[in-house]
Amino acid sequence: EAKNQEIEQARRALEEKATELSLTSKYKSEFLANMSHELRTPLNSMLILSKMLTENSDGNLTSKQVEQTKTIHAGGADLLELINDILDLSKIESGTVGLEIENMHFADLGEYAKRNFQHVAEAKGIGFSIHSAPNLPRTIRTDAKRLQQVLKNLLSNAVKFTEKGSISLAMSVARSGWSLDNECLNRAGTVVAFAVADTGIGIPKEKHRIIFEAFQQADGSTSRKYGGTGLGLSISREIARLLGGEIKLESEPEQGSTFTLYVPAEYVRPPEKPRKGTAPAPSVPLLEGPEGTAAAAVQAVLALPAVEEVEQPVEDDRETIQPGERVLLIVEDDVRFAQILLDLARERGFKGVIVQRAGRVTQMVKSFSPSAITLDIHLPDRDGWTVLDQLKHDPATRHIPVQVISVEDERQRGIGLGAVSYLIKPVSKEALEKTLNDLKEFSERPVKRLLVVEDDEVQRKSILDLLGNGDIQTVAVATGGEALAALRAGKIDCLVLDLSLPDMTGFELIAKMKEEFGERAVPVVVYTGKELTPKEASELRRYTEAVVIKDAKSPERLLAETALFLHRVESQLPPVKRKMLQRDRDSDPALVGKKILIVDDDVRNIFALTTALERRQMAVVNAEGGKVALALLKNTPDIHAVLMDIMMPEMDGYETTRAIRKIAKFKKLPVIALTAKAMKGDREKCIEAGANDYISKPVDVEQLLSLLRVWLYR
């Protein structure tokens, strides 16, 4: 009985210890999340302001000063990476990390590595190569972002510690090489090995274990040659375990190193091993340290990572694309419909690449340089309007024709944002075939045709001088009748129209065009000096893509609107016209004059965001707390949108947003949440509280402007 009592007391003591350690882990996680916020908040203003200085839009900085601000911005970006590392470590230790399981093509992984490290290796004078085994499957089903993070850490270290020779990434199917007790790898149907090899300084045997510990390095002395925190390999090891794999090291001093990451080709959830009297054991042990016993106890109370299946596998053509081939990027989360588009695209000579999430579109556009894009509006992670807006406001991508295919009947909005055409689901096979034929014809025709309808000869010549260049063919006419004849004679890609014509008004010409050629057969940009009545302006918005009133800034606006609808490649325009387009972007009519309320308790953030928005000619008011914001909203009737910081004292952003939504006249006021905590689930919590959208700090100003354009339109 005495022995049983001792055992029972020991069991209770262990349970209490495990509970205490669980709370400690929770508190540490919350502390690090809050510390992340405190660090990111000043960093946010530093990055925004330094980025604006590097652009030197006023032209009043010397080239040396621009270089100095670039150095400041680069330093801030490096600091952000360190903050992210510490936050990753806290998430892994506390069991709050989540996985998003999706299909990723090995071709994309190779392209990712090449894009990030080829030029770095060349700048350092070392070789860089990527090898893919012929027996590799087409895809790997895992958390793509986390896998890329590990490869980036391993390749960064290889570049860092290699002074001469080369580094390489080899991807192959592995039959052995991992630990015998790794259940996930043992029961995986296929195991993939990613071997990162270098000819660098190498690592002594006695240091092989220590380099994987948090904050540890092979050389940790104050006189060490190589800097860094020593977090990269520690995080990589724990992420590998999250993915059901592990990392092995082979290295000798002065002989180079090979780090091999083994992961299942198909994600396998690590097994739970519940212990009597404790919570289930986690898949991810706490980082080992001197308190080995305590770490083991904490290990018993951590939860398995939350797993979210975000993408179904679709076999597309990304691995067989050759230089010079036309690529159609299909942005569509409905797998069956995406497959139909892919088959029809192949019949027309396109290679098809399918993307099911908005967040990956930018990366895929950079990787594959598509000739055209089809875009669904309802995507699982972000609104398709934001994708279209970002594509059309980026000088590097705005020339790519985008075909919107959506259940929403917002054709006018899609064409106005720069889509080449708009289809409403459900779509017939014939309509899809015609659309893809049009995209093929558009991509094969290097010179686009512009029709200018202007009766004043001087004005007509000035328009031709402004818009003309080798990439477009311009047809100029003086009457409505000549315009209709030109439209009948051949394909016109964009029409510039003056409303005052000798034989008919511009309104009558638009009506005749609609009757003969169908609604929106050609994008129409009205260019007029006529003062429009509200009724005329409303009618023009229904049937034309843009209205440019002749004034001091109208040449930039006209050039920008026609360049958008003609899908001109901005980099191929003369420098003078590129500068005009940049000036136009800085005075975006969708943003000019809009009044934005910034709610933030940090005056540095308010200053940085105010500076960025006022540069776009927006009016800004601010409130340093939730209660002040509510009072200001009630007393300022013309606020168009709110930027809401989440972490604020007394009344946080969630509570303030809920309070705003309780007021009837603010039910539809756009509220964009800003947070620096960057924890999983933050976006969902913000939307649930009533925010329309979410952006994390440090704020990407272009992404913020895109969100504002989308929600201000609504």
Side-chain angles (χ1 to χ4, degrees):
E1 285 177 1
K3 184 64 72 176
N4 285 341
Q5 284 179 357
E6 287 177 15
I7 292 170
E8 181 63 19
Q9 286 174 350
R11 187 184 67 79
R12 287 176 183 169
L14 278 173
E15 282 184 352
E16 289 174 8
K17 189 67 176 175
T19 303
E20 289 172 11
L21 289 167
S22 175
L23 280 171
T24 302
S25 177
K26 178 187 174 186
Y27 294 150
K28 184 174 70 171
S29 175
E30 289 178 355
F31 168 77
L32 285 171
N34 290 333
M35 182 55 67
S36 164
H37 171 268
E38 296 302 324
L39 291 169
R40 284 168 181 260
T41 295
L43 189 60
N44 183 57
S45 53
M46 176 178 148
L47 286 173
I48 290 174
L49 294 172
S50 60
K51 176 66 174 174
M52 290 170 63
L53 286 171
T54 61
E55 292 169 358
N56 194 20
S57 57
D58 295 330
N60 56 358
L61 297 181
T62 65
S63 57
K64 184 176 181 180
Q65 288 170 328
V66 170
E67 285 303 314
Q68 289 169 341
T69 57
K70 285 181 179 178
T71 303
I72 295 170
H73 187 269
D78 290 342
L79 183 58
L80 177 60
E81 287 293 316
L82 295 177
I83 293 169
N84 288 339
D85 281 349
I86 293 170
L87 190 59
D88 272 342
L89 196 63
S90 76
K91 288 179 183 177
I92 291 168
E93 286 192 336
S94 61
T96 56
V97 88
L99 298 182
E100 295 186 350
I101 304 303
E102 60 185 315
N103 263 51
M104 186 171 197
H105 289 70
F106 284 99
D108 292 347
L109 275 173
E111 182 62 34
Y112 169 82
K114 182 178 179 182
R115 187 171 63 250
N116 283 279
F117 293 98
Q118 180 80 53
H119 67 284
V120 179
E122 288 174 356
K124 199 170 180 182
I126 57 178
F128 179 66
S129 58
I130 300 172
H131 309 284
S132 299
N135 63 339
L136 269 179
R138 284 171 59 87
T139 61
I140 180 169
R141 190 159 183 78
T142 188
D143 186 314
K145 183 180 177 182
R146 294 293 179 184
L147 177 58
Q148 288 176 338
Q149 185 179 354
V150 175
L151 292 180
K152 183 179 180 181
N153 282 339
L154 296 179
L155 287 166
S156 294
N157 277 349
V159 172
K160 179 178 176 181
F161 295 111
T162 303
E163 298 294 336
K164 58 183 179 180
S166 64
I167 60 174
S168 65
L169 168 63
M171 299 181 284
S172 61
V173 173
R175 309 294 178 196
S176 61
W178 58 88
S179 302
L180 296 177
D181 60 350
N182 190 312
E183 291 185 39
C184 288
L185 293 175
N186 289 337
R187 58 192 171 101
T190 304
V191 174
V192 179
F194 299 90
V196 176
D198 65 61
T199 59
I201 60 174
I203 304 164
K205 283 279 186 189
E206 64 272 15
K207 300 284 189 180
H208 282 200
R209 177 181 170 81
I210 197 174
I211 62 169
F212 284 99
E213 306 302 335
F215 307 104
Q216 298 288 331
Q217 292 181 313
D219 178 8
S221 65
T222 56
S223 60
R224 71 187 193 269
K225 180 178 179 182
Y226 302 97
T229 60
L231 285 176
L233 286 176
S234 181
I235 291 169
S236 296
R237 179 187 67 172
E238 303 310 323
I239 291 174
R241 290 179 182 176
L242 273 178
L243 300 178
E246 63 181 65
I247 299 174
K248 290 291 188 180
L249 168 62
E250 295 177 14
S251 182
E252 294 287 345
E254 307 305 324
Q255 299 297 314
S257 306
T258 300
F259 288 86
T260 305
L261 167 66
Y262 296 96
V263 288
E266 187 79 21
Y267 173 75
V268 179
R269 188 177 178 85
E272 290 188 75
K273 297 179 181 176
R275 301 178 185 180
K276 189 175 181 180
T278 69
S283 60
V284 186
L286 198 69
L287 300 178
E288 296 169 15
E291 307 89 357
T293 307
V298 175
Q299 178 177 329
V301 298
L302 300 185
L304 282 166
V307 177
E308 180 185 356
E309 299 280 336
V310 297
E311 215 171 87
Q312 296 183 51
V314 183
E315 298 292 333
D316 59 20
D317 301 320
R318 68 187 72 194
E319 293 185 28
T320 63
I321 295 170
Q322 300 299 319
E325 290 186 309
R326 286 193 307 276
V327 176
L328 178 68
L329 186 66
I330 301 167
V331 186
E332 173 64 63
D333 66 323
D334 183 329
V335 174
R336 288 171 296 181
F337 188 62
Q339 188 65 56
I340 292 170
L341 286 171
L342 179 62
D343 292 340
L344 292 173
R346 285 169 173 166
E347 290 174 10
R348 281 146 189 83
F350 283 105
K351 289 291 181 72
V353 175
I354 295 173
V355 182
Q356 294 172 257
R357 295 174 69 81
R360 297 192 64 195
V361 172
T362 301
Q363 175 193 336
M364 302 304 274
V365 169
K366 288 180 181 176
S367 298
F368 295 103
S369 301
S371 304
I373 298 171
T374 65
L375 175 65
D376 185 18
I377 294 300
H378 289 288
L379 296 168
D381 59 328
R382 201 189 306 163
D383 198 299
W385 293 120
T386 310
V387 176
L388 179 60
D389 184 271
Q390 287 182 308
L391 286 170
K392 293 304 175 183
H393 282 84
D394 184 344
T397 59
R398 63 180 287 145
H399 64 278
I400 303 172
V402 178
Q403 168 70 59
V404 175
I405 306 176
S406 173
V407 294
E408 292 185 16
D409 186 1
E410 293 200 56
R411 180 181 280 105
Q412 180 178 347
R413 182 182 184 187
I415 301 299
L417 277 173
V420 71
S421 185
Y422 196 105
L423 284 178
I424 301 169
K425 294 179 180 177
V427 188
S428 68
K429 183 171 181 286
E430 292 73 23
L432 285 177
E433 288 174 337
K434 181 183 184 307
T435 292
L436 291 170
N437 285 335
D438 289 344
L439 286 176
K440 178 186 177 185
E441 186 270 338
F442 194 93
S443 63
E444 289 178 341
R445 189 160 45 86
V447 177
K448 307 301 186 288
R449 299 186 77 220
L450 171 69
L451 175 60
V452 177
V453 188
E454 168 65 68
D455 65 322
D456 186 293
E457 187 177 349
V458 175
Q459 287 274 6
R460 197 163 60 240
K461 186 176 185 308
S462 67
I463 293 173
L464 295 179
D465 290 341
L466 171 68
L467 304 181
N469 199 47
D471 63 331
I472 62 169
Q473 179 185 347
T474 309
V475 179
V477 298
T479 66
E482 291 173 335
L484 291 170
L487 287 165
R488 296 183 193 112
K491 175 69 177 174
I492 297 293
D493 297 294
C494 183
L495 187 153
V496 175
L497 174 64
D498 183 22
L499 293 179
S500 301
L501 300 173
D503 57 339
M504 63 182 80
T505 67
F507 293 96
E508 291 171 335
L509 175 58
I510 291 169
K512 288 179 182 292
M513 287 169 54
K514 180 185 174 186
E515 183 182 337
E516 184 171 346
F517 304 105
E519 191 173 329
R520 297 190 180 276
V522 56
V524 176
V525 178
V526 172
Y527 188 50
T528 181
K530 184 180 187 296
E531 190 70 32
L532 298 175
T533 66
K535 182 180 178 182
E536 289 174 331
S538 176
E539 186 177 351
L540 285 176
R541 277 196 297 272
R542 286 178 58 199
Y543 298 114
T544 66
E545 278 56 54
V547 177
V548 180
I549 305 298
K550 295 174 183 176
D551 60 20
K553 293 184 177 179
S554 61
E556 285 95 340
R557 190 92 215 104
L558 181 61
L559 177 63
E561 292 292 356
T562 55
L564 178 65
F565 298 120
L566 290 166
H567 299 83
R568 302 178 80 170
V569 181
E570 189 168 321
S571 60
Q572 296 177 4
L573 295 175
V576 173
K577 291 183 180 178
R578 291 205 298 271
K579 285 183 180 178
M580 291 177 70
L581 291 174
Q582 182 58 53
R583 285 199 299 271
D584 178 75
R585 274 193 291 275
D586 290 341
S587 58
D588 191 330
L591 302 176
V592 169
K594 297 295 189 291
K595 184 177 286 187
I596 308 299
L597 169 61
I598 299 174
V599 187
D600 200 315
D601 63 318
D602 190 293
V603 69
R604 295 164 298 185
N605 270 343
I606 291 174
F607 174 72
L609 288 170
T610 299
T611 305
L613 297 181
E614 286 181 346
R615 180 175 164 184
R616 269 74 180 184
Q617 301 173 50
M618 304 175 80
V620 180
V621 292
N622 65 77
E624 293 184 34
K627 291 179 180 177
V628 178
L630 288 170
L632 201 151
L633 267 175
K634 291 172 184 175
N635 297 320
T636 312
D638 56 344
I639 288 175
H640 296 92
V642 178
L643 301 184
M644 179 70 68
D645 186 35
I646 294 301
M647 296 282 286
M648 293 187 294
E650 293 186 57
M651 191 175 188
D652 66 19
Y654 299 123
E655 189 181 349
T656 308
T657 304
R658 291 190 192 100
I660 290 173
R661 294 304 184 213
K662 287 178 182 176
I663 302 170
K665 64 179 179 179
F666 298 137
K667 290 281 187 186
K668 294 185 178 180
L669 177 69
V671 177
I672 298 174
L674 282 73
T675 177
K677 277 184 80 171
M679 300 296 281
K680 184 172 177 61
D682 278 356
R683 184 178 191 277
E684 291 73 18
K685 286 169 68 177
C686 292
I687 303 300
E688 187 181 333
N692 297 94
D693 224 315
Y694 159 100
I695 188 170
S696 61
K697 295 179 182 178
V699 172
D700 180 326
V701 173
E702 292 305 320
Q703 186 182 350
L704 175 62
L705 294 174
S706 183
L707 286 175
L708 282 172
R709 278 189 292 265
V710 167
W711 289 106
L712 286 171
Y713 181 94
R714 291 184 170 179

